[in-house]
Amino acid sequence: MKKQNFSTSFGVIGLGRFGTALVRTLAEAGQEVIAVDKDEQKVKAVRKYTDFAFVIEALSEDTLEETGIQNCGTVAICIGEQVDVSILTTMLVIKMEIPHVISKANSPEHGEVLRHLGATVVYPEADMAMYTAHRMISNNLLDYITLGSHVEIRRFTIDGPLVGSAIQELDVRRKYKVNIIAIERSHQTMVDFSPQYQFQAGDIITVIGKVDDIDHFERDIQK
């Protein structure tokens, strides 16, 4: 395969229910995705979401490199049911020096091995795919809760342009239609804070608002 720049793209290995949902969610968020599985039918099914979907019958460093997955910034290994294959594939991907590796586990013991290898471990099924996709896309997002009617609560780590800025100065409520409902600093949570409060690097803020408005806010704080 001709080498392409996928450094800001994502790879998904294993197209079961979780892997397929993950590919779909990332693609619908406008992200470039490389999808890999040994089952040709599963690969065909995700080609409506990505042009980079590949059948690999035997996973190895060479066969994975043929897909270009080594150029991704983040790769998720979604082979929780086959523990041996999951562990081997995680080892291969980490050996490729991909910056962020996420591996699905089906038990705490399985997860402990994956974590020891250096992977971020998730214990999901399809309903967790959207959460993992958000975590892969965002550098700042720590957690989120969907409340319905396109409203969410999200927690972000503060860095970059917000450091040193006061809440009043940023005028988040008017500019973004987002409300800051909590600030965490040094393991202490504040829910009653002054508009003059100045953000420090490492602060964690919790916001509530419409999904589109929070997305706008998130894009700006990551610039």
Side-chain angles (χ1 to χ4, degrees):
M1 174 182 175
K2 183 179 178 181
K3 188 172 183 177
Q4 303 186 43
N5 181 20
F6 288 109
S7 60
T8 58
S9 300
F10 305 95
V12 177
I13 302 173
L15 300 176
R17 186 170 59 174
F18 173 67
T20 298
L22 190 53
V23 171
R24 182 183 69 247
T25 305
L26 289 166
E28 289 176 350
Q31 305 300 312
E32 198 80 74
V33 188
I34 296 178
V36 173
D37 198 280
K38 65 180 181 180
D39 188 318
E40 187 173 355
Q41 294 304 312
K42 291 179 179 178
V43 172
K44 285 182 178 178
V46 301
R47 283 185 177 147
K48 56 188 171 184
Y49 307 119
T50 176
D51 294 329
F52 305 104
F54 303 93
V55 178
I56 296 183
E57 294 185 2
L59 289 168
S60 68
E61 189 170 353
D62 289 340
T63 57
L64 286 172
E65 286 184 348
E66 287 177 4
T67 71
I69 208 166
Q70 72 276 11
N71 300 311
C72 290
T74 302
V75 172
I77 295 100
C78 309
I79 319 175
E81 295 76 15
Q82 297 174 282
V83 176
D84 55 339
V85 178
S86 166
I87 293 170
L88 175 60
T89 306
T90 299
M91 289 176 63
L92 290 172
V93 172
I94 289 173
K95 184 181 177 183
M96 292 178 179
E97 299 185 349
I98 290 164
H100 189 199
V101 178
I102 298 173
S103 290
K104 174 185 174 182
N106 63 357
S107 71
E109 293 78 14
H110 181 193
E112 191 61 33
V113 174
L114 297 172
R115 191 175 292 107
H116 183 73
L117 292 173
T120 298
V121 179
V122 293
Y123 299 88
E125 285 304 326
D127 61 335
M128 283 295 294
M130 288 184 64
Y131 172 72
T132 306
H134 281 300
R135 287 289 302 275
M136 292 168 73
I137 292 168
S138 174
N139 294 325
N140 300 76
L141 181 66
L142 296 176
D143 202 2
Y144 84 99
I145 300 171
T146 299
L147 300 179
S149 300
H150 305 290
V151 175
E152 287 186 353
I153 298 173
R154 299 189 200 175
R155 295 172 67 239
F156 300 97
T157 301
I158 294 298
D159 59 17
L162 292 192
V163 175
S165 300
I167 296 174
Q168 188 175 48
E169 174 188 345
L170 294 171
D171 203 5
V172 172
R173 187 170 186 176
R174 183 191 62 81
K175 184 176 180 180
Y176 299 99
K177 301 177 183 177
V178 167
N179 288 314
I180 299 173
I181 60 176
I183 301 172
E184 299 171 53
R185 177 186 287 179
S186 301
H187 306 292
Q188 293 186 339
T189 301
M190 296 172 282
V191 294
D192 185 14
F193 39 84
S194 165
Q196 285 76 44
Y197 180 91
Q198 289 186 320
F199 292 119
Q200 295 184 11
D203 281 0
I204 297 171
I205 62 171
T206 302
V207 303
I208 185 170
K210 294 283 188 179
V211 171
D212 289 344
D213 295 330
I214 300 178
D215 286 343
H216 180 200
F217 175 65
E218 183 181 356
R219 286 193 295 270
D220 279 7
I221 70 173
Q222 292 189 92
K223 287 180 180 178

